[in-house]
Amino acid sequence: MRVAVVTDSMADLPKETADEHGVSIVPLTVIFGEETFLDGVDMNSHDFFARLKTSSVMPSTSQPSPADFIQVYDDLLGKYDHIVSVHASHKLSGTYQSACIARDTLESRSIDVIDSKQVTMCEGFAVLEAARAAQRGASREEVCQAALRVAGSVQLLFTVDTLEFLERNGRIGKAASLLGTLLSVKPIIYLDDGEVAPRDRVLGARRLLPRVIELMNEAVGSRAICAAVLHTDAHEKAKEWKREIEKEFKCKELIVNEVGPVVGTHAGPGAVGVAWHLCMS
């Protein structure tokens, strides 16, 4: 029984990784004024951040429509027996609801839609685990379990240069308590049940990465991890985080990726973070 895996562009899976594992990506839309761009299709990360620096208009985003999912599902059901569709937290995007509407419209019992309660590479790791299981010939139930296992255990710690973008785009969640903090106080943010929330704060940017390493050590210890360093137009910061994480932890897999335009719209430039989960083997 062949199982196809579908996700959305908020998973921030590198294209080559998605292609290698046969993952179909349904893109969200980035909107600059009257112009619209499909995330990762019409506009990549480099072009988005270049546009963001010069644009007088703040970008916004839009979820895929049910029709977008129906088109992808219809095509895949002609080639596969089942579809497992893994998506960003419903608290951060309406993408999951669009996928559910598409499934119900098709009246197909061959489509499972999963709310990962995650975003960016936390969602991406759940998708990747599902896709690897599917490539091994796992059953539909086993593919779903693989996605849910990682989605329920993956963790994210990140920091932003400013909370302005999260606030303006309505994604600040429980981290609203951090608004109004002094410029010298740097937030460390995580996802709490699919919602952005404060994890800690430090005084001064130089203390950020050491504190993130401490928090990771509390969770990981000496166990091996699969990890991803993520950033929004912050290449040098990402290199530093990668270097220190490689030194400190047993990384079976370590991806460095600039997040896509949709996640970049909500995080703003200068954000950097790390997502990880314990390796199963």
Side-chain angles (χ1 to χ4, degrees), residues 92 118-120 122 154-167 171-179 181 185-202 208-209 211-213 215-216 230 241 263 266-276:
L92 298 174
Q118 303 289 351
V119 73
T120 193
C122 290
V154 67
Q155 298 187 55
L156 173 69
L157 293 173
F158 72 101
T159 185
V160 292
D161 264 2
T162 172
L163 293 164
E164 172 190 8
F165 289 85
L166 284 170
E167 184 188 16
R171 301 305 195 276
I172 197 162
K174 299 171 186 176
S177 61
L178 295 173
L179 290 171
T181 56
V185 176
K186 302 299 181 183
I188 297 174
I189 303 170
Y190 78 124
L191 291 178
D192 180 15
D193 192 31
E195 192 173 7
V196 175
R199 179 65 176 85
D200 203 353
R201 62 186 81 183
V202 297
L208 268 172
L209 181 53
R211 181 57 179 149
V212 167
I213 297 291
L215 292 170
M216 287 182 69
L230 310 161
W241 281 50
V263 174
H266 302 309
V272 63
V274 56
W276 79 90

Coordinates of all heavy atoms in Angstrom, one line a residue, residues 92 118-120 122 154-167 171-179 181 185-202 208-209 211-213 215-216 230 241 263 266-276:
L92 N -1.7 28.9 14.4 CA -0.9 29.8 13.7 C -1.3 30.0 12.3 O -0.8 31.0 11.6 CB 0.6 29.3 13.7 CG 1.2 29.2 15.1 CD1 2.6 28.6 15.0 CD2 1.4 30.6 15.8
Q118 N 2.8 22.4 15.3 CA 4.2 22.9 15.2 C 4.2 23.8 14.0 O 3.2 24.1 13.3 CB 5.2 21.8 15.0 CG 5.2 20.7 16.2 CD 5.8 21.3 17.4 OE1 6.4 22.3 17.5 NE2 5.7 20.5 18.5
V119 N 5.4 24.4 13.8 CA 5.7 25.2 12.6 C 7.1 25.1 12.3 O 7.9 24.6 13.0 CB 5.2 26.7 12.9 CG1 6.2 27.4 13.8 CG2 5.0 27.5 11.6
T120 N 7.5 25.7 11.1 CA 8.9 25.6 10.6 C 9.4 24.2 10.7 O 8.7 23.2 10.5 CB 9.8 26.8 11.1 OG1 10.9 26.9 10.3 CG2 10.1 26.6 12.6
C122 N 10.1 22.3 13.0 CA 9.5 21.4 14.0 C 8.4 20.6 13.2 O 8.3 19.3 13.3 CB 8.8 22.1 15.1 SG 10.0 22.8 16.2
V154 N 9.2 17.1 19.3 CA 10.2 18.1 18.8 C 10.1 19.4 19.6 O 9.0 19.7 20.0 CB 9.9 18.3 17.3 CG1 8.6 18.9 17.0 CG2 11.1 19.1 16.6
Q155 N 11.2 20.1 19.7 CA 11.2 21.3 20.5 C 11.9 22.4 19.7 O 12.7 22.2 18.8 CB 12.0 21.1 21.8 CG 11.3 20.1 22.7 CD 12.0 20.1 24.1 OE1 12.1 21.1 24.8 NE2 12.5 18.9 24.5
L156 N 11.5 23.7 20.0 CA 12.0 24.8 19.3 C 12.3 25.9 20.3 O 11.6 26.2 21.2 CB 11.0 25.4 18.3 CG 11.3 26.7 17.6 CD1 12.4 26.5 16.6 CD2 10.0 27.2 16.9
L157 N 13.5 26.5 20.1 CA 13.9 27.7 20.9 C 14.4 28.7 19.9 O 15.2 28.4 19.0 CB 15.0 27.4 21.9 CG 14.6 26.5 23.1 CD1 15.9 26.2 23.9 CD2 13.6 27.1 24.0
F158 N 13.8 29.9 19.9 CA 14.3 30.9 19.0 C 14.2 32.3 19.6 O 13.5 32.5 20.6 CB 13.5 30.9 17.7 CG 12.0 31.3 17.8 CD1 11.7 32.6 17.3 CD2 11.1 30.5 18.3 CE1 10.4 33.0 17.4 CE2 9.7 30.9 18.3 CZ 9.4 32.2 17.9
T159 N 14.8 33.3 18.9 CA 14.8 34.6 19.4 C 14.6 35.5 18.2 O 14.9 35.2 17.0 CB 16.1 35.0 20.1 OG1 16.0 36.3 20.6 CG2 17.3 34.9 19.2
V160 N 14.0 36.7 18.4 CA 13.7 37.6 17.3 C 14.4 39.0 17.6 O 14.6 39.3 18.8 CB 12.2 37.8 17.1 CG1 11.6 36.5 16.6 CG2 11.5 38.2 18.4
D161 N 14.7 39.7 16.6 CA 15.3 41.0 16.8 C 14.2 42.0 17.4 O 14.6 42.9 18.1 CB 15.8 41.6 15.5 CG 17.3 41.3 15.3 OD1 17.9 40.7 16.2 OD2 17.9 41.8 14.3
T162 N 13.0 41.8 17.0 CA 11.9 42.6 17.4 C 10.6 41.8 17.4 O 10.4 40.9 16.6 CB 11.7 43.9 16.5 OG1 10.5 44.5 16.9 CG2 11.6 43.5 15.0
L163 N 9.8 42.1 18.4 CA 8.5 41.4 18.5 C 7.4 42.0 17.6 O 6.3 41.6 17.5 CB 8.0 41.4 19.9 CG 8.8 40.6 20.9 CD1 8.5 41.0 22.3 CD2 8.6 39.1 20.7
E164 N 7.8 43.1 16.8 CA 6.9 43.9 16.0 C 6.2 43.0 15.0 O 5.0 43.1 14.8 CB 7.7 45.0 15.3 CG 6.8 45.7 14.3 CD 7.7 46.7 13.4 OE1 8.9 46.6 13.5 OE2 7.1 47.4 12.7
F165 N 6.9 42.1 14.3 CA 6.3 41.3 13.3 C 5.4 40.3 13.8 O 4.3 40.1 13.2 CB 7.4 40.6 12.4 CG 8.2 41.6 11.6 CD1 9.3 42.3 12.1 CD2 7.9 41.8 10.3 CE1 10.1 43.2 11.4 CE2 8.6 42.7 9.5 CZ 9.7 43.4 10.1
L166 N 5.7 39.6 14.9 CA 4.8 38.7 15.5 C 3.5 39.4 16.0 O 2.4 38.9 15.8 CB 5.4 38.0 16.7 CG 6.5 36.9 16.4 CD1 7.2 36.5 17.7 CD2 5.8 35.7 15.8
E167 N 3.7 40.6 16.5 CA 2.5 41.3 17.0 C 1.6 41.8 15.8 O 0.4 41.6 15.8 CB 2.9 42.5 17.8 CG 1.8 43.3 18.5 CD 2.2 44.6 19.1 OE1 3.3 45.0 18.9 OE2 1.4 45.1 19.9
R171 N 0.4 36.8 15.6 CA 1.0 35.5 15.9 C 1.7 35.5 17.2 O 2.5 34.6 17.5 CB 1.9 35.0 14.8 CG 1.3 34.9 13.4 CD 0.0 34.0 13.4 NE -0.4 33.6 12.1 CZ -1.1 34.3 11.3 NH1 -1.5 35.5 11.6 NH2 -1.5 33.8 10.1
I172 N 1.6 36.5 18.0 CA 2.4 36.7 19.2 C 2.0 35.7 20.3 O 2.8 35.4 21.2 CB 2.5 38.1 19.7 CG1 3.7 38.3 20.6 CG2 1.2 38.6 20.3 CD1 4.1 39.7 20.8
G173 N 0.7 35.3 20.3 CA 0.2 34.4 21.3 C 0.5 34.7 22.7 O 0.3 35.9 23.2
K174 N 1.0 33.8 23.5 CA 1.3 34.0 24.9 C 2.6 34.8 25.1 O 2.9 35.2 26.2 CB 1.5 32.6 25.6 CG 0.3 31.7 25.5 CD 0.6 30.3 26.0 CE -0.6 29.4 25.8 NZ -0.3 28.0 26.2
A175 N 3.3 35.1 24.0 CA 4.5 35.9 24.2 C 4.2 37.4 24.3 O 5.1 38.3 24.3 CB 5.5 35.7 23.0
A176 N 2.9 37.8 24.3 CA 2.5 39.2 24.4 C 3.0 39.8 25.7 O 3.2 41.0 25.7 CB 1.0 39.3 24.3
S177 N 3.2 38.9 26.7 CA 3.8 39.4 27.9 C 5.2 40.0 27.8 O 5.6 40.8 28.7 CB 3.8 38.3 29.0 OG 4.7 37.3 28.5
L178 N 5.8 39.7 26.7 CA 7.2 40.2 26.5 C 7.2 41.6 25.9 O 8.2 42.3 25.8 CB 8.0 39.3 25.6 CG 8.3 37.9 26.1 CD1 8.9 37.0 25.0 CD2 9.2 38.0 27.3
L179 N 6.1 42.1 25.4 CA 6.0 43.4 24.7 C 6.4 44.5 25.7 O 6.0 44.4 26.9 CB 4.6 43.7 24.2 CG 4.2 42.8 22.9 CD1 2.7 43.0 22.6 CD2 5.1 43.2 21.7
T181 N 9.4 45.1 26.7 CA 10.6 44.9 27.5 C 11.7 45.8 26.9 O 11.7 46.3 25.8 CB 11.1 43.4 27.3 OG1 11.2 43.1 25.9 CG2 10.1 42.5 28.0
V185 N 17.0 43.5 26.8 CA 16.5 42.2 27.2 C 16.1 41.4 26.0 O 15.2 41.9 25.2 CB 15.3 42.4 28.2 CG1 14.7 41.0 28.6 CG2 15.7 43.2 29.5
K186 N 16.7 40.3 25.8 CA 16.4 39.5 24.6 C 15.5 38.3 25.0 O 15.9 37.5 25.9 CB 17.7 39.0 24.0 CG 18.7 40.1 23.6 CD 18.1 41.0 22.6 CE 19.0 42.2 22.2 NZ 18.4 43.1 21.2
P187 N 14.4 38.1 24.3 CA 13.5 37.0 24.6 C 14.0 35.7 24.0 O 14.6 35.6 22.9 CB 12.2 37.4 23.9 CG 12.7 38.2 22.7 CD 13.9 38.9 23.2
I188 N 13.7 34.6 24.7 CA 13.9 33.2 24.1 C 12.4 32.7 24.1 O 11.7 32.6 25.1 CB 14.8 32.3 25.0 CG1 16.2 32.9 25.0 CG2 14.8 30.9 24.4 CD1 17.1 32.2 26.0
I189 N 12.0 32.3 22.9 CA 10.6 31.9 22.7 C 10.5 30.5 22.2 O 11.5 29.9 21.7 CB 10.0 32.9 21.6 CG1 10.2 34.3 22.0 CG2 8.6 32.5 21.3 CD1 9.8 35.3 20.9
Y190 N 9.4 29.9 22.5 CA 9.2 28.5 22.1 C 7.7 28.3 21.7 O 7.0 29.3 21.7 CB 9.6 27.5 23.2 CG 8.6 27.3 24.4 CD1 8.1 26.1 24.7 CD2 8.2 28.4 25.1 CE1 7.2 25.9 25.7 CE2 7.3 28.3 26.2 CZ 6.8 27.0 26.5 OH 5.9 26.8 27.5
L191 N 7.4 27.1 21.3 CA 6.0 26.8 21.0 C 5.4 26.0 22.1 O 5.9 24.9 22.5 CB 5.9 26.0 19.7 CG 6.3 26.7 18.4 CD1 6.2 25.8 17.2 CD2 5.4 27.9 18.2
D192 N 4.3 26.5 22.6 CA 3.5 25.9 23.7 C 2.2 25.5 23.2 O 1.3 26.3 23.0 CB 3.4 26.9 24.9 CG 2.7 26.3 26.1 OD1 2.5 25.0 26.1 OD2 2.2 27.0 27.0
D193 N 2.0 24.2 23.0 CA 0.7 23.6 22.4 C 0.3 24.4 21.2 O -0.8 24.8 21.0 CB -0.4 23.7 23.5 CG -1.6 22.9 23.1 OD1 -1.5 21.9 22.4 OD2 -2.7 23.4 23.5
G194 N 1.3 24.6 20.3 CA 1.0 25.2 19.0 C 0.9 26.7 19.0 O 0.5 27.3 18.0
E195 N 1.3 27.3 20.1 CA 1.2 28.8 20.2 C 2.6 29.4 20.6 O 3.3 28.8 21.4 CB 0.1 29.1 21.2 CG -0.3 30.6 21.2 CD -1.5 30.8 22.1 OE1 -1.9 29.8 22.8 OE2 -2.0 31.9 22.2
V196 N 2.9 30.5 20.1 CA 4.1 31.2 20.5 C 4.1 31.6 21.9 O 3.1 32.3 22.4 CB 4.4 32.4 19.6 CG1 5.6 33.2 20.0 CG2 4.6 32.0 18.1
A197 N 5.1 31.3 22.7 CA 5.1 31.6 24.1 C 6.5 31.9 24.6 O 7.5 31.5 24.0 CB 4.5 30.4 24.9
P198 N 6.6 32.7 25.7 CA 8.0 33.0 26.2 C 8.5 31.8 27.0 O 7.8 31.2 27.8 CB 7.7 34.2 27.2 CG 6.3 34.0 27.6 CD 5.6 33.4 26.4
R199 N 9.8 31.6 26.8 CA 10.5 30.5 27.5 C 11.5 31.1 28.6 O 11.6 30.6 29.7 CB 11.3 29.6 26.6 CG 12.1 28.5 27.2 CD 11.1 27.5 27.9 NE 11.9 26.4 28.4 CZ 12.5 26.4 29.6 NH1 12.4 27.4 30.4 NH2 13.1 25.3 30.0
D200 N 12.2 32.2 28.2 CA 13.1 32.8 29.1 C 13.5 34.1 28.5 O 13.1 34.5 27.4 CB 14.4 31.9 29.2 CG 15.1 32.2 30.5 OD1 14.8 33.1 31.2 OD2 16.1 31.4 30.8
R201 N 14.3 34.9 29.2 CA 14.8 36.1 28.6 C 16.2 36.4 29.3 O 16.4 35.9 30.4 CB 13.9 37.3 28.9 CG 13.7 37.6 30.3 CD 12.6 38.7 30.5 NE 11.3 38.2 30.4 CZ 10.2 38.9 30.4 NH1 10.3 40.2 30.6 NH2 9.0 38.4 30.3
V202 N 17.1 37.0 28.5 CA 18.4 37.2 29.0 C 18.8 38.7 28.8 O 18.2 39.4 27.9 CB 19.5 36.3 28.3 CG1 19.2 34.9 28.6 CG2 19.5 36.6 26.8
L208 N 22.5 35.1 24.8 CA 21.4 34.3 24.2 C 21.8 32.9 23.9 O 21.1 31.9 24.4 CB 20.9 35.0 22.9 CG 19.8 36.0 23.0 CD1 19.6 36.7 21.6 CD2 18.5 35.3 23.4
L209 N 22.8 32.7 23.1 CA 23.2 31.3 22.7 C 23.6 30.5 23.8 O 23.2 29.3 23.9 CB 24.3 31.4 21.6 CG 24.7 30.1 21.0 CD1 23.6 29.2 20.5 CD2 25.7 30.3 19.9
R211 N 22.6 30.6 26.8 CA 21.4 30.2 27.6 C 20.6 29.1 26.8 O 20.0 28.2 27.4 CB 20.5 31.4 27.9 CG 19.2 31.1 28.7 CD 19.5 30.4 30.0 NE 18.3 30.1 30.7 CZ 18.2 29.0 31.5 NH1 19.2 28.2 31.6 NH2 17.0 28.9 32.2
V212 N 20.5 29.3 25.5 CA 19.8 28.3 24.6 C 20.5 26.9 24.8 O 19.8 25.9 24.9 CB 19.8 28.7 23.2 CG1 19.4 27.6 22.2 CG2 18.8 29.9 23.0
I213 N 21.8 26.9 24.8 CA 22.6 25.7 25.0 C 22.3 25.0 26.3 O 22.1 23.8 26.4 CB 24.1 25.9 24.8 CG1 24.5 26.4 23.4 CG2 24.9 24.7 25.2 CD1 24.4 25.4 22.3
L215 N 19.5 25.4 28.1 CA 18.1 24.8 28.0 C 18.1 23.6 27.2 O 17.4 22.6 27.6 CB 17.2 25.9 27.4 CG 17.0 27.1 28.3 CD1 16.2 28.2 27.5 CD2 16.2 26.8 29.6
M216 N 18.8 23.5 26.1 CA 18.9 22.3 25.3 C 19.5 21.1 26.1 O 19.0 20.0 26.1 CB 19.7 22.5 24.0 CG 19.0 23.3 23.0 SD 20.0 23.5 21.5 CE 19.9 21.8 20.8
L230 N 17.7 27.5 12.3 CA 16.8 28.2 11.4 C 17.1 29.7 11.6 O 17.4 30.2 12.7 CB 15.4 28.0 11.8 CG 15.0 26.5 11.9 CD1 13.8 26.3 12.6 CD2 14.9 25.9 10.5
W241 N 25.6 29.6 15.7 CA 24.7 28.6 16.4 C 25.0 27.2 15.9 O 25.1 26.3 16.8 CB 23.2 28.9 16.1 CG 22.7 30.0 16.9 CD1 23.2 31.3 17.1 CD2 21.5 30.1 17.7 NE1 22.5 32.1 17.9 CE2 21.4 31.4 18.3 CE3 20.5 29.1 17.9 CZ2 20.3 31.7 19.1 CZ3 19.4 29.5 18.8 CH2 19.4 30.8 19.3
V263 N 6.9 32.2 7.1 CA 7.4 32.2 8.4 C 8.2 33.5 8.6 O 8.2 34.1 9.7 CB 8.3 31.0 8.8 CG1 8.9 31.1 10.1 CG2 7.4 29.7 8.7
H266 N 6.2 36.5 9.7 CA 5.8 36.6 11.1 C 7.0 36.8 12.0 O 6.8 37.4 13.1 CB 5.0 35.3 11.4 CG 3.8 35.1 10.5 ND1 2.9 36.1 10.3 CD2 3.5 34.0 9.8 CE1 2.0 35.6 9.5 NE2 2.3 34.3 9.1
A267 N 8.1 36.3 11.7 CA 9.3 36.4 12.6 C 10.0 37.7 12.4 O 10.7 38.2 13.3 CB 10.2 35.2 12.4
G268 N 10.1 38.2 11.1 CA 10.8 39.4 10.8 C 12.3 39.0 10.6 O 12.7 37.9 10.9
P269 N 13.1 40.0 10.1 CA 14.5 39.7 9.8 C 15.3 39.6 11.1 O 14.9 40.2 12.1 CB 15.0 40.9 9.0 CG 14.0 42.0 9.4 CD 12.7 41.3 9.6
G270 N 16.4 38.8 11.1 CA 17.3 38.8 12.2 C 17.0 37.7 13.3 O 17.7 37.6 14.3
A271 N 15.9 36.9 13.0 CA 15.6 35.9 14.0 C 16.5 34.7 13.8 O 16.9 34.4 12.6 CB 14.1 35.5 13.8
V272 N 16.7 33.9 14.8 CA 17.5 32.7 14.7 C 17.1 31.7 15.8 O 16.6 32.2 16.9 CB 19.1 33.0 14.9 CG1 19.4 33.6 16.3 CG2 19.9 31.8 14.6
G273 N 17.1 30.4 15.5 CA 16.6 29.5 16.5 C 17.1 28.1 16.1 O 17.8 27.9 15.1
V274 N 16.7 27.1 17.0 CA 17.1 25.7 16.8 C 15.9 24.9 17.1 O 15.2 25.1 18.1 CB 18.3 25.3 17.7 CG1 18.0 25.6 19.1 CG2 18.7 23.9 17.4
A275 N 15.6 23.9 16.2 CA 14.6 22.9 16.4 C 15.3 21.6 16.5 O 16.3 21.3 15.8 CB 13.6 22.9 15.2
W276 N 14.8 20.7 17.4 CA 15.4 19.4 17.6 C 14.5 18.4 18.1 O 13.5 18.7 18.8 CB 16.7 19.5 18.5 CG 16.3 19.6 20.0 CD1 16.2 18.5 20.8 CD2 16.0 20.7 20.7 NE1 15.9 19.0 22.1 CE2 15.7 20.3 22.0 CE3 16.0 22.1 20.4 CZ2 15.4 21.2 23.0 CZ3 15.6 23.0 21.4 CH2 15.4 22.6 22.7

